[in-house]
Amino acid sequence: GKWHMGVNCKTRHDHCHHPLSHGFDYFYGMPFTLVNECQGTDDPELAKTLQDTYWFYTQMIILAVFTLVIGKLANFFTVNWKIIICLAICGLLYFLSWFSSYGFTKYWNCILMRNHDITEQPMNLDKTTSNVLKEAVTFIERNKHRPFLLFVSLLHVHTPLITTQKFQGRSRHGLYGDNVEEMDWMVGRLLDVIQKENLKNNTFVYFASDHGGSLEAHRGNSRLGGWNGIYKGGKGMGGWEGGIRVPGIVRWPGVLAAGKVIDEPTSLMDIYPTVVHLAGGKVPQDRVIDGRTLLPLLKGTVQHSGHEFMFHYCGVFLHAVRWHKKDSGMVWKAHYATPVFQPEGSGACYRRGICPCFGDGVTYHDPPLLFNLSQDPSEANPLSADTEPLFDTVMRKIGKAVEEHRKTLPPVPQQLSPYNNIWKPWLQPCCGTFPFCWCHEENNKA
């Protein structure tokens, strides 16, 4: 399914970010992400967001290059020609990125790969659902006689909500509901195969979402990103519950009792140590692993989550911290920063399209906004020292946890800098002779 981690670092064929370079033995899916351009709708998503940014940087760099050239030729100041040339190349890259956003996004971004080979460029969305399902089913059938890890990252319930004709109009909740129903059918098919191959009682199945509903995704009055119920905020908003609380459903008939509900904080980071535990391995001891194995909690050998504190980031910025008091059902959450909703009181960043993580689009709180999630899961009533006797005690405890947490964070290269986000022709996956990149695998068989 959707990998969304990219492919290459320095050359078109180094595959440094590819799943096969990170422990997987087989891959079929999108190396990037699903955007409206993949469907060819009238409402571009990626281009709309990036065009203004690319054009702004292009203009600024061109202006800087002209200024440096004129200044050097007129002897106003001295500057190395290498610097001017490098700046000009950078400007050219931004220009190409801006130009390619008008129509080429579908070819550059919307591709399917099998292992290192591109099978479709651009991808055929009419067949994607059946192709992904077919690949997953045949993977199970090929590996049924040995232990396997199958990670299916569905393209469903993500805009542009690709839904086959069979499921269109099935739901009372519009296109989003149709998409959910098709996803449910796909998961059911996978569980049927596991049962048919007599793997049900010794297969651990974990179903989850990677974030809450995207509130800004809409077309007219129709919501395309789901609904977060009583929870405030949504996808990409740092610390609000609407972007963090996601469904978690586990099935393992041979080991876990059916119908059990666990009301304890867990994290998608727990998948890694859980899988390592199931495989009989040990997590690395030379670094801090933030996840905790879910097995003791699921089996009932412990009653409380191993997560006393959870740190909720927006990009590289810490926005909120959750404290799940040990041996207690009490859960506190402190917000250090929250997005500025536009328009005010709307509950989302409709004018921006996505909430920013820092700058003038964020409100910083000192003291932090504190909520008792045990009593106020909607985060509607912020507490203060006047209204909550434990306010100072809780804030001291959370502040100390943040201090300890930051000691465990080693410095890493900035991956989200403007340079790292521009399109680089020499890294573009291409199944033909660049820039003529288009292909469709004939008689697609797994």
Side-chain angles (χ1 to χ4, degrees):
K2 187 177 74 166
W3 176 242
H4 201 171
M5 302 298 284
V7 183
N8 303 315
C9 286
K10 295 180 179 177
T11 71
R12 192 173 294 148
H13 303 291
D14 65 24
H15 299 119
C16 71
H17 296 307
H18 193 281
L20 269 58
S21 299
H22 293 274
F24 288 92
D25 300 308
Y26 182 80
F27 170 67
Y28 178 83
M30 288 190 78
F32 306 124
T33 189
L34 195 61
V35 288
N36 287 348
E37 284 86 341
C38 296
Q39 199 173 39
T41 63
D42 297 327
D43 186 21
E45 180 182 357
L46 190 65
K48 186 178 176 183
T49 307
L50 295 178
Q51 277 163 3
D52 288 344
T53 305
Y54 286 151
W55 186 238
F56 174 76
Y57 279 113
T58 301
Q59 289 177 308
M60 291 298 101
I61 293 172
I62 289 173
L63 182 62
V65 169
F66 272 114
T67 303
L68 291 175
V69 169
I70 292 169
K72 184 174 178 65
L73 294 176
N75 292 320
F76 290 144
F77 45 75
T78 57
V79 62
N80 195 309
W81 280 110
K82 288 182 180 178
I83 294 175
I84 297 176
I85 292 169
C86 287
L87 201 57
I89 292 171
C90 210
L92 179 63
L93 285 174
Y94 273 106
F95 174 78
L96 290 172
S97 296
W98 169 78
F99 183 76
S100 70
S101 68
Y102 286 91
F104 289 106
T105 304
K106 183 173 182 177
Y107 289 87
W108 301 150
N109 199 82
C110 308
I111 65 177
L112 282 175
M113 298 182 77
R114 179 181 286 109
N115 294 327
H116 291 146
D117 299 321
I118 298 172
T119 61
E120 293 183 17
Q121 188 172 14
M123 59 196 286
N124 181 352
L125 291 183
D126 293 335
K127 296 182 178 179
T128 302
T129 298
S130 59
N131 286 346
V132 169
L133 188 57
K134 181 164 56 177
E135 292 283 340
V137 168
T138 54
F139 179 87
I140 294 171
E141 291 171 345
R142 284 200 309 273
N143 293 282
K144 63 185 177 184
H145 297 301
R146 57 180 178 175
F148 63 82
L149 168 68
L150 171 61
F151 171 43
V152 184
S153 182
L154 297 168
L155 303 184
H156 282 59
V157 295
H158 187 294
T159 53
L161 298 175
I162 54 170
T163 309
T164 59
Q165 195 169 358
K166 177 183 173 184
F167 284 89
Q168 291 176 15
R170 287 265 296 258
S171 165
R172 292 179 297 168
H173 299 282
L175 184 58
Y176 182 86
D178 296 344
N179 208 243
V180 170
E181 291 209 11
E182 184 163 49
M183 176 187 68
D184 179 55
W185 171 78
M186 292 176 74
V187 173
R189 285 292 307 276
L190 293 176
L191 295 180
D192 287 345
V193 173
I194 288 172
Q195 179 149 336
K196 186 187 87 174
E197 301 295 347
N198 296 316
L199 300 172
K200 183 175 75 170
N201 288 343
N202 60 349
T203 300
F204 179 85
V205 179
Y206 184 59
F207 175 89
S209 175
D210 58 345
H211 52 70
S214 174
L215 300 183
E216 289 88 359
H218 66 282
R219 185 176 296 131
N221 294 324
S222 176
R223 283 192 174 186
L224 303 177
W227 181 60
N228 297 319
I230 66 168
Y231 303 113
K232 192 170 186 176
K235 173 186 176 181
M237 295 188 191
W240 291 122
E241 288 294 279
I244 295 171
R245 290 210 187 205
V246 297
I249 305 171
V250 177
R251 189 182 88 152
W252 194 2
V255 177
L256 305 177
K260 185 177 180 181
V261 177
I262 298 173
D263 187 18
E264 290 284 310
T266 61
S267 166
L268 292 185
M269 293 185 292
D270 297 337
I271 294 174
Y272 170 62
T274 301
V275 168
V276 171
H277 185 155
L278 288 169
K282 291 185 178 179
V283 297
Q285 302 297 307
D286 60 342
R287 71 205 72 176
V288 174
I289 300 296
D290 293 305
R292 304 281 188 273
T293 176
L294 292 169
L295 269 300
L297 194 61
L298 294 173
K299 290 180 177 179
T301 55
V302 301
Q303 298 305 310
H304 295 290
S305 166
H307 294 282
E308 185 177 5
F309 294 95
M310 286 184 175
F311 305 91
H312 303 299
Y313 281 81
C314 185
V316 298
F317 302 94
L318 180 65
H319 273 211
V321 179
R322 178 188 312 260
W323 178 28
H324 180 234
K325 208 171 174 185
K326 279 185 178 178
D327 302 321
S328 160
M330 191 74 76
V331 182
W332 305 88
K333 191 163 71 172
H335 288 263
Y336 292 90
T338 54
V340 177
F341 293 144
Q342 299 172 331
E344 189 176 346
S346 64
C349 303
Y350 290 110
R351 288 178 190 156
R352 289 179 180 260
I354 187 168
C355 290
C357 296
F358 64 97
D360 62 357
V362 167
T363 301
Y364 298 93
H365 303 284
D366 187 14
L369 291 180
L370 181 66
F371 297 93
N372 181 344
L373 295 183
S374 311
Q375 300 172 359
D376 180 24
S378 298
E379 297 173 287
N381 304 301
L383 305 171
S384 67
D386 297 328
T387 60
E388 175 52 63
L390 295 174
F391 183 88
D392 292 331
T393 303
V394 172
M395 292 315 307
R396 275 197 303 272
K397 185 78 174 177
I398 290 177
K400 181 68 175 172
V402 171
E403 200 178 300
E404 294 299 316
H405 164 69
R406 284 184 167 143
K407 291 177 185 176
T408 70
L409 301 177
V412 295
Q414 174 57 268
Q415 295 182 352
L416 301 176
S417 65
Y419 175 77
N420 284 331
N421 273 284
I422 61 173
W423 175 67
K424 300 180 181 69
W426 58 90
L427 299 183
Q428 174 64 49
C430 181
C431 63
T433 302
F434 185 83
F436 306 105
C437 306
W438 54 79
C439 59
H440 283 278
E441 186 179 58
E442 294 295 326
N443 302 320
N444 193 333
K445 292 180 181 177

